[in-house]
Amino acid sequence: MGKRDELIAKYAEDLKSKCGITPDMDLLTKVTIGCGPAIYNDDASTVAATQDSELETVKENFLIKKLGLADGPQLMDAINAVIETYGRSERNKYRAVVYYMLVKHFGKESVYG
């Protein structure tokens, strides 16, 4: 099993155990691949949920640029809802898991079609 497959398995486990979500493995794989080399970097592979600038980056680069959503308060509300689901106290919030939940939240699976 390659490094990426190991990471995808870890993300799937996080979705099941920490978020109570049974992941669509095909979509999770596509979202993970979409994160690019960031998944291999300890710092870039996680979302610092306590940093407003990090959440702004998720909003701008992922929700608006990647998913094509219009800017508005609903974007930050969704990010906060996902962080809440993941668990605010959870130290490592993996970027691929957060992005996966945001794709599901907005019903934007077609972006990864």
Side-chain angles (χ1 to χ4, degrees):
M1 188 154 73
K3 179 78 171 142
R4 185 173 70 199
D5 293 334
E6 290 171 20
L7 288 169
I8 291 167
K10 182 167 40 170
Y11 302 153
E13 184 51 40
D14 261 26
L15 280 163
K16 284 182 217 152
S17 63
K18 297 175 182 166
C19 307
I21 297 169
T22 302
D24 169 341
M25 291 307 292
D26 187 46
L27 180 63
L28 180 58
T29 299
K30 289 175 180 171
V31 170
T32 302
I33 291 168
C35 289
I39 62 170
Y40 304 110
N41 176 306
D42 284 347
D43 186 45
S45 69
T46 57
V47 173
T50 55
Q51 294 179 356
D52 289 341
S53 61
E54 173 79 3
L55 300 181
E56 220 22 73
T57 301
V58 169
K59 183 179 94 168
E60 292 292 325
N61 293 347
F62 186 70
L63 295 179
I64 296 172
K65 288 181 183 164
K66 177 75 180 171
L67 299 186
L69 297 167
D71 195 0
Q74 76 282 4
L75 299 185
M76 209 44 92
D77 290 347
I79 291 169
N80 283 315
V82 161
I83 301 290
E84 212 54 58
T85 300
Y86 211 143
R88 287 224 177 258
S89 61
E90 182 56 45
R91 199 167 162 275
N92 289 324
K93 292 175 192 63
Y94 293 106
R95 186 170 302 281
V97 174
V98 170
Y99 285 9
Y100 174 89
M101 288 195 283
L102 287 167
V103 168
K104 289 299 236 182
H105 177 88
F106 286 107
K108 287 296 213 169
E109 292 88 343
S110 61
V111 170
Y112 290 95

